Amino acid sequence: MKIDILLGLQWGDEGKGKIVDVLTPKYNIVARFQGGPNAGHTLEFEGKKYVLRSVPSGIFQGKNINIIGNGVVIDPSLFKEEVEALETSGHDLKKRLFISKKAHLILPTHRFLDACYEAAKGDKKIGTTGKGIGPTYTEKVNRSGLRVGDILHNFDEKYEKVKKNHLRILQQYEFDDSALPTVEKAWFEGLKKLKEFEFIDSEHYINQAIKDNKKILAEGAQGTMLDIDFGSYPYVTSSNTISAGACLGLGVAPQKIGEVYGIFKAYCTRVGSGPFPTELFDEVGDILRQKGFEFGSVTGRPRRCGWLDLVALRYAIMINGVTQLIMMKSDVLDTFDTIKACVAYKIDGKEKTDFPFDIEEGVTPIYKELTGWKTDMTKMRSEDKFPQAFNDYVAFIEKELNVPVRIISIGPDREQTIMRK
Ligand code: GDP
Ligand code: IMO
Ligand code: MG
């Protein structure tokens, strides 16, 4: 048995949570492989809406196992909030959610450091989610981080040592850390909550499950254009969001990878700073934001919106080895007369279809215009009902990207998902 991966191809918020939930009945295990509570994965079903940050999106369907892999970073206080909200709504995760001993812990001072480093960058700030993601991954690579497995032995001693070092740095930035005792209290309460769950050697667990013919879905967070190596650096997150990140973040070998589901919106969005070639500053951008309800699920920030960028998508498909595409939020384009898609960039007067090193300056998108379908698709439940102009749009995308679009999403609800034949 092989392990399938579902990941974002754009700048995050493509709808990963929704589709992982839809696909979950086909799987025994769902495992998150990177990122942390910078993620906000939204699911809607039976009239209710849930936002998951660290818990995998496979927890709502049946009794399957969910794993937080070694590549993930966990903030115990946010984890506690998330789990308690789920428990209150009647979803008990005990014995169904396991946590890798090798996952790193986001400390309260990591969050403070995130704020310091952002402030120090001034107008070059990344626009992080402020959840301490960068400092935690930095410390992992610096070999001084604390892991979930550390909680089990002499934790206080290890914690104090790391904290002392952080406080020294915070002092240099003249950071006001007076909130630390309150934040720490919540954090240690979170740690107690975390300990209610089983810590596992997830790489052993997952490889044994593969041997036992269990079906596993690896869930990504963020998106390819936010990948630390291949995204729009430095305006990226601090983990590998791409398919190779699933090998690293779960401990599975490349030949064990099966399908790679690449998920994208029928247009583009981005939160935080950084280049965005197809960004729209006009009323079309506003319509996309309002109709698509493009406001961050973690920070509430309005998302920047623009037309579909096929240059960036082609690149993302190449890097990830995408075998199937999933197109989200098609319904948001339901009312447009004309829909545009960027097929190439003009740089220094030359047309380029390969994603360049630098997209920060001097990139002009070259658009192909397509006829809008001007039909409300949100109540359709089969592709037979799709308008011709919409089918033409999908056929155009498939031709440009050379990968089939297998699933189309026409609304936030679980039911608003069409599997194509
Ligand atoms: P994720 O981080 O990739 O899981 O995506 P988010 O949950 O952050 O953002 C996707 C947003 O779009 C959420 O508010 C979803 O409820 C919503 N959504 C997902 N699919 C669709 C769709 O097909 N149409 C519409 N209108 N909204 C959708
Ligand atoms: P999901 O999983 C969209 C963005 C931030 C910022 C940059 C770095 O819901 O798709 P970080 O806090 O990671 O250091 O911020 O990455 N970012 C996301 N944008 N969706 C996300 O997650 C994101 N997680 C981080 O806005 O630009
Ligand atoms: Mg999100």
Side-chain angles (χ1 to χ4, degrees), residues 19 34 37 67 77 94 99 202 389:
I19 297 299
Q34 46 67 235
I67 297 174
S77 45
K94 302 272 163 52
I99 304 168
S202 53

Side-chain angles (χ1 to χ4, degrees), residues 13-18 40-42 44 297 303 328-329 331-332 409-412:
D13 302 326
E14 296 91 349
K16 298 175 288 293
K18 169 181 164 164
H41 294 181
T42 317
E44 281 188 45
S297 25
R303 294 176 183 147
M328 307 301 288
K329 304 192 92 157
D331 54 298
V332 176
S409 177
I410 48 166

